[in-house]
Amino acid sequence: MRLTSPALALLAGLLALLALAAPAGASRFQESTFQDDDLLVYGEPARVAETLDTLKALGVDRLRVSVFWKIVAPAFAEDTKPAGFDGGDPGAYPQGAWERYDRLAHEATARGLELNLNLTGPAPDWATGTPDRADLDETYEPSAAEFAAFTRAAGTRYSGTYSGPDGRTLPRIDYWSIWNEPNQAGWLTPQWVPDPRGKGMVEAAPRIYRELADEALLALRATGHGDDTILIGETAPKGLRVRGVARSMAPGRFIRRLFCLDDRGRTLKGTSAEVQGCPVSGAPADITAAHPSLLGASGWAHHPYELVAAPSRKPRTSGWYTIANLSDLQRLLRRSHARLGRNRAVPLYLTEFGYQTNPPDPLGVSQGKQAAYLAESEFRTYADPRVRTHSQFLLVDDEPLPGYPTTTTGAWGTTFQSGLRTLEGRAKPAFQAYQVPVFLPARSVRRGGRLRVWGLARAAAGRPLVEVLVRERGARRTRVARRVRGSGAGYVDTRIRVRRSGTVRLRWRHPDGRRRTSQAVPFTVRGR
């Protein structure tokens, strides 16, 4: 837009705000994050390139990528670390160990896609403790010192000054998260241990994770990433009510103990602090000095899965946090920070999310509901200015587990069918819904009233012109009810007048020149 004076610029800005009709406090920008490690980390080069092209066309901003400690470490199955191995030197790792991540960094950067490197287990056996159960070996008491070395290697390699084996300087990565779901026993154990005071079981995972996060944060700072986005948490949404070495912990309990707080939000003192690895004084200054990650991280990462329930249905268990009760999580985080001396809203990064579908999982929601629930979930986070990123987990469904009929739940028990495409590559309705989500906060309006329509032209560059299409009952054709300029992030939040019940869709022209249209959402017009 060409402007001839500051006054015209101001007027244009005001008109734009009015046209968007966004509610106070709504996000002006929220990153679209995407994750599919099977395709991007384990895929062959051609498949990686194809996937990146698809995600770029969908409008993805950032890729969350698991940097699995075990698959880059030498002698990962041995109990003893190789003699002379310096885990902090990226050049000391086996030849080709980092190749998949180097390739992905180059290919993503070439397409303008940003990365979030999630440094996580499983750990090599030589960097873990010795559990009573062999199946816990790669998650049991990972060494914070060895994890710090691994983090230094990653931070150095992706500092923007390090050359890969082909002589090219590797891209700088400026966005990191530490471990994956530390309150989930599949990723970190022990979750609980016998209380040395003889009082049953006491939480262990928060202490272990606090040590990992502290050391990783310091390692990233030491390798030139101190001003980067560095996230802690990456918490799973739920836990178990029973206690045990491999019994996952509710995120609410995990967060309180991580911040050295008791169940009432007071700082732990004495032996209660000691068993949690916290300063026995309970003084906030002592806690933050000993554990820099607690207030030093950029924000909290969380996975607000519900998987099968509507985004509006809050969990019934205290301390569980799904897409429906993020305000409860935010309140806990703010209070935890305030107790340690920093009273501020904590930015929330939703780095993993999705809905399980049936087919193929008999316990999932229908594919149509998946599409609708994803759009509603994104609207909910758009309406929350503290949420910085919203994520979709999986482009393509996981394969079933071997040994089970695919018509049974056993085939899908520990895998995800939350993809936008089926395992065979067929697009689900959610694929279209991800490209152009549309949501009606209220599907019923009185005659003469105005219907609020929210949506997103995800791949927009600049402020796209979006058409709001209405097909009213009995009408022979669809009409353009309104043309509205989206925000700089592609959001549309507007109101239209409707005469009779019908459906509404959004349509806009993608940078590739083709039109993209949302799914149709029904609405009802009531009498006065």
Side-chain angles (χ1 to χ4, degrees), residues 198-237:
K199 298 180 180 180
M201 303 288 283
V202 67
E203 303 91 338
R207 168 186 56 79
I208 299 167
Y209 180 68
R210 192 188 310 114
E211 294 170 359
L212 294 170
D214 288 340
E215 293 295 333
L217 178 73
L218 295 176
L220 288 170
R221 287 176 176 174
T223 52
H225 297 280
D227 294 328
D228 290 1
T229 297
I230 302 174
L231 307 178
I232 62 171
E234 294 286 7
T235 37

Side-chain angles (χ1 to χ4, degrees), residues 29-308:
F29 179 77
Q30 179 176 267
E31 272 196 339
S32 295
T33 297
F34 211 104
Q35 181 175 3
D36 196 322
D37 288 335
D38 280 353
L39 297 179
L40 295 175
V41 175
Y42 293 105
E44 294 298 320
R47 188 74 185 276
V48 171
E50 177 188 359
T51 301
L52 290 173
D53 287 340
T54 298
L55 297 180
K56 180 63 177 179
L58 281 172
V60 172
D61 300 307
R62 189 177 300 277
L63 307 173
R64 180 174 183 259
V65 179
S66 301
V67 183
F68 297 109
W69 187 3
K70 182 174 181 177
I71 68 172
V72 299
F76 65 84
E78 302 296 326
D79 291 333
T80 304
K81 184 172 71 170
F85 171 65
D86 177 7
D89 177 6
Y93 286 73
Q95 184 176 4
W98 296 90
E99 181 180 359
R100 69 189 76 210
Y101 297 111
D102 293 352
R103 179 175 63 244
L104 183 55
H106 281 303
E107 294 276 356
T109 300
R111 291 165 173 80
L113 291 166
E114 303 287 344
L115 295 181
N116 164 14
L117 295 188
N118 174 230
L119 306 176
T120 188
D125 285 356
W126 48 259
T128 63
T130 305
D132 294 332
R133 291 168 44 180
D135 61 311
L136 304 181
D137 201 27
E138 61 187 13
T139 64
Y140 196 84
E141 287 275 8
S143 164
E146 294 293 354
F147 185 63
F150 167 61
T151 304
R152 283 198 303 276
T156 300
R157 193 172 192 92
Y158 302 111
S159 62
T161 61
Y162 192 86
S163 296
D166 60 2
R168 290 188 295 168
T169 300
L170 288 162
R172 174 179 170 78
I173 308 300
D174 61 3
Y175 199 115
W176 308 80
S177 58
I178 300 170
W179 214 261
N180 182 62
E181 298 191 347
N183 63 316
Q184 214 279 344
W187 293 96
L188 186 65
T189 55
Q191 290 283 304
W192 300 82
V193 293
D195 190 329
R197 299 167 297 178
K199 298 180 180 180
M201 303 288 283
V202 67
E203 303 91 338
R207 168 186 56 79
I208 299 167
Y209 180 68
R210 192 188 310 114
E211 294 170 359
L212 294 170
D214 288 340
E215 293 295 333
L217 178 73
L218 295 176
L220 288 170
R221 287 176 176 174
T223 52
H225 297 280
D227 294 328
D228 290 1
T229 297
I230 302 174
L231 307 178
I232 62 171
E234 294 286 7
T235 37
K238 300 179 182 180
L240 299 175
R241 296 180 177 87
V242 292
R243 304 180 179 189
V245 170
R247 299 294 186 175
S248 300
M249 194 177 302
R253 176 179 289 275
F254 179 88
I255 290 168
R256 288 187 180 89
R257 297 300 179 270
L258 180 71
F259 281 85
C260 297
L261 304 177
D262 65 16
D263 290 344
R264 297 177 64 182
R266 303 169 301 189
T267 57
L268 296 167
K269 297 178 182 179
T271 60
S272 295
E274 187 177 12
V275 297
Q276 292 296 332
C278 300
V280 296
S281 68
D286 292 343
I287 295 171
T288 56
H291 302 294
S293 65
L294 298 181
L295 298 186
S298 307
W300 187 267
H302 184 63
H303 307 166
Y305 286 112
E306 187 51 84
L307 290 179
V308 295

